[in-house]
Amino acid sequence: MVDTTQIDTYLILSAFILISGVLAAKFSNRVGLPSLVLFILLGMLVGSDGLGIVYFDSPELAQLVGVFALVIILFEGGLQTKFATVRAVALPSISLATVGVILTSGIVGLAAYLIFDITMMQALLLGAIVGSTDAAAVFAALKERNIKAKMGATLEAESGTNDPMAVFLTIGFIELIIIPETAWWALLPEFVWQMGIGLIVGIAVGKIASIAINRVKLDSSGLYPIFSVAFALLTYGAASAAGASGFLAVYIAALVIGNSELTYRYSIFQFNEGFAWMAQILMFILLGLLVFPADLFSLDIIIGGLLLSAALIFIARPAAVYLSTLGMGYKNNEKLFLSWAGLRGAVPIILATFPIVAGVENSEFFFNIVFFVVLTSALVQGTTISPLAKRLGLMGPKKDNPHHSIELISMGKANAEMVQFKVDGDALIAGQKLKDVDFPRKASISAIVRDETLITPYGETEIQNGDFLYILVASRYKRELKRALEQKKSPQPPYS
């Protein structure tokens, strides 16, 4: 017979964790503290060395949950990223995600060899584990901050694409430690395969998913977001089965899907944003449960962790940024910011479970050091991103995240969509009255939101800079509508 008391306990505990996670996220935004720190501390609090509510000691399960959560987080981050923004920073981001990770891993590995009593190969393994920035940490840190688009795009694209290099280096060094006769150069074709096939799988599944979402008529609009998540999991699984990078494939697929014309677009985006938050909360709390504070905050871990964190933050990351972006048009203040904002998070902690599962000597020690480095990075760097960006003159305009109570929907069965458009000052329609605007057929403005106020539109209503227009349009005329909305005013000739 099923023990309902135990089920009730687990449900109440799950509710407590999620509620606490949501409140922690709200609190973190108010005080400028990265939410991942609070999630981890919450996990440590309810763990066996804290209140003793939950005992968790399974690196294998933590690895599984972490990979699943990272797939969801990378997918949501890719959906929100614009091709135009990524294209402008593609070369430096790829350089940071490859050359930058190698340089960071090598310098941190050398520092680890000098700080700890371990072999050079073990030190390089430790460097590889903390060599990459973390998508979950970077996406969360930049989501609500008004950092200039170039900086935000560079960091997000780097963190979304540097996991393959970190995974490759980590697994490679584990193999070299366990099987010393392995030649390191023999691993290079594997890396090329992982990156190349991961890219191909991501593009292919992204295009298939975009077509399927638009063509398959589902009975409920709530099924479309689930449909999109299924493709995210399929992308990772297909790439991994082919021996390629699943993380890279997921991020690329999300870029393709997010930049395609989609039915039920806003429902898909909103669902994935909420799902990514839930995945992030559960992942970091679980990682907090995995660590034992009594071991983490021992004197040797604290001293060694602080020294290694200093080497990472003040030497390895800046050297990697400056060398990886040579001749790519970045100013000194931009390089300083990129150096400081390379946050570590879930990926290094999850990678730190690989040596444990593989039975590498000193792996428990590595895990605690990596965990301490991640906490240090989040606390020192994560809390100072906005002040540093402001001091370096890298703050951008306020992000346009309208929180209006207008539900944006795609009426698949009616072949119509509600389109949101923000009016810029140089838009042709800015300053015009609605009756004078030449909208396509089957298109009508349903609402205007101006300064958080809902305005009922009529013929004499003047469209102003900063207005959010909500336009109901037949799906077949959506492209025509967008072309009309995106027309710009002719530049005024200079006075002679």
Side-chain angles (χ1 to χ4, degrees):
M1 187 173 180
V2 178
D3 186 353
T4 57
T5 304
Q6 192 175 28
I7 294 174
D8 293 344
T9 301
Y10 283 129
L11 289 176
I12 292 172
L13 179 61
S14 299
F16 168 76
I17 288 174
L18 288 175
I19 291 171
S20 301
V22 171
L23 295 177
K26 181 176 178 61
F27 177 74
S28 71
N29 286 333
R30 286 181 177 272
V31 300
L33 185 70
S35 54
L36 72 90
V37 175
L38 296 180
F39 299 153
I40 288 174
L41 292 178
L42 180 61
M44 294 168 68
L45 177 66
V46 301
S48 55
D49 269 8
L51 299 177
I53 299 174
V54 179
Y55 179 83
F56 180 76
D57 187 22
S58 175
E60 295 85 357
L61 181 57
Q63 193 177 113
L64 175 63
V65 173
V67 168
F68 179 86
L70 283 173
V71 167
I72 301 303
I73 293 165
L74 278 170
F75 186 69
E76 192 269 338
L79 287 178
Q80 301 285 352
T81 305
K82 301 297 182 186
F83 261 140
T85 307
V86 171
R87 193 180 299 117
V89 297
L91 182 59
S93 297
I94 292 172
S95 181
L96 285 166
T98 52
V99 177
V101 172
I102 293 173
L103 290 171
T104 303
S105 301
I107 296 171
V108 173
L110 179 59
Y113 180 72
L114 296 174
I115 295 169
F116 306 115
D117 184 21
I118 55 178
T119 67
M120 176 57 80
M121 200 60 69
Q122 289 176 336
L124 290 173
L125 171 60
L126 188 53
I129 291 172
V130 298
S132 69
T133 59
D134 179 61
V138 171
F139 290 166
L142 298 181
K143 188 179 288 290
E144 300 298 332
R145 290 174 169 86
N146 303 324
I147 309 298
K148 278 191 175 180
K150 180 182 177 182
M151 295 295 94
T154 302
L155 289 166
E156 290 182 356
E158 176 200 3
S159 64
T161 56
N162 67 4
D163 294 340
M165 178 59 81
V167 172
F168 167 74
L169 290 175
T170 300
I171 294 176
F173 282 119
I174 289 175
E175 187 173 337
L176 290 172
I177 291 171
I178 295 176
I179 311 174
E181 59 271 19
T182 304
W184 66 267
W185 50 264
L187 301 175
L188 293 179
E190 181 182 345
F191 173 71
V192 175
W193 174 270
Q194 286 186 12
M195 296 290 283
I197 301 301
L199 182 65
I200 293 170
V201 171
I203 293 173
V205 178
K207 289 186 176 296
I208 292 170
S210 301
I211 295 170
I213 290 170
N214 288 327
R215 297 284 180 86
V216 177
K217 302 298 181 183
L218 300 175
D219 293 333
S220 170
S221 61
L223 292 174
Y224 285 92
I226 299 173
F227 203 29
S228 70
V229 171
F231 278 109
L233 300 176
L234 174 64
T235 304
Y236 182 88
S240 296
S245 171
F247 291 135
L248 177 63
V250 168
Y251 186 70
I252 297 299
L255 278 175
V256 174
I257 296 170
N259 286 272
S260 302
E261 295 291 341
L262 295 176
T263 186
Y264 291 99
R265 179 182 190 86
Y266 296 98
S267 296
I268 291 171
F269 277 41
Q270 289 168 358
F271 174 87
N272 278 283
E273 183 178 10
F275 197 16
W277 269 111
M278 186 172 74
Q280 187 178 159
I281 291 170
L282 293 177
M283 174 179 64
F284 283 117
I285 289 177
L286 190 65
L287 293 176
L289 287 170
L290 188 61
V291 72
F292 292 87
D295 297 330
L296 180 66
F297 297 115
S298 61
L299 187 61
D300 58 334
I301 296 293
I302 293 174
I303 295 174
L306 286 174
L307 290 173
L308 195 64
S309 296
L312 170 63
I313 296 171
F314 298 108
I315 301 174
R317 173 65 179 179
V321 168
Y322 274 80
L323 292 173
S324 299
T325 58
L326 278 175
M328 296 184 185
Y330 283 82
K331 299 176 183 178
N332 189 56
N333 63 332
E334 294 174 332
K335 291 182 179 181
L336 283 172
F337 180 76
L338 291 176
S339 299
W340 190 255
L343 300 179
R344 268 59 189 173
V347 170
I349 298 176
I350 293 169
L351 289 180
T353 65
F354 284 31
I356 297 176
V357 175
V360 175
E361 186 182 359
N362 293 321
S363 55
E364 294 285 351
F365 175 74
F366 294 163
F367 180 85
N368 287 323
I369 287 292
V370 170
F371 207 104
F372 191 91
V373 169
V374 168
L375 281 179
T376 305
S377 172
L379 285 169
V380 175
Q381 295 171 282
T383 56
T384 53
I385 285 180
S386 290
L388 180 64
K390 188 174 182 179
R391 187 173 184 83
L392 295 175
L394 296 175
M395 295 297 287
K398 184 178 180 181
K399 290 189 176 181
D400 298 322
N401 294 320
H403 302 289
H404 311 124
S405 57
I406 297 178
E407 181 67 21
L408 302 178
I409 58 173
S410 297
M411 286 153 282
K413 294 185 176 66
N415 294 317
E417 296 189 39
M418 185 74 79
V419 174
Q420 174 194 275
F421 179 77
K422 186 191 176 185
V423 180
D424 294 323
D426 60 347
L428 184 61
I429 63 174
Q432 293 190 42
K433 294 182 178 180
L434 286 182
K435 66 179 183 180
D436 299 325
V437 178
D438 185 21
F439 283 118
R441 291 168 293 174
K442 306 293 185 181
S444 61
I445 293 186
S446 301
I448 298 176
V449 176
R450 180 179 301 157
D451 298 327
E452 301 294 329
T453 301
L454 180 64
I455 297 173
T456 302
Y458 64 101
E460 294 296 326
T461 303
E462 182 180 298
I463 300 173
Q464 297 181 10
N465 179 26
D467 283 356
F468 285 93
L469 309 181
Y470 295 93
I471 308 168
L472 185 63
V473 61
S475 297
R476 58 181 172 174
Y477 295 116
K478 185 177 178 181
R479 291 184 182 274
E480 185 180 341
L481 172 65
K482 285 202 166 186
R483 284 195 296 269
L485 293 172
E486 291 169 358
Q487 289 185 55
K488 305 295 183 182
K489 295 176 181 177
S490 301
Q492 296 296 323
Y495 290 105
S496 57

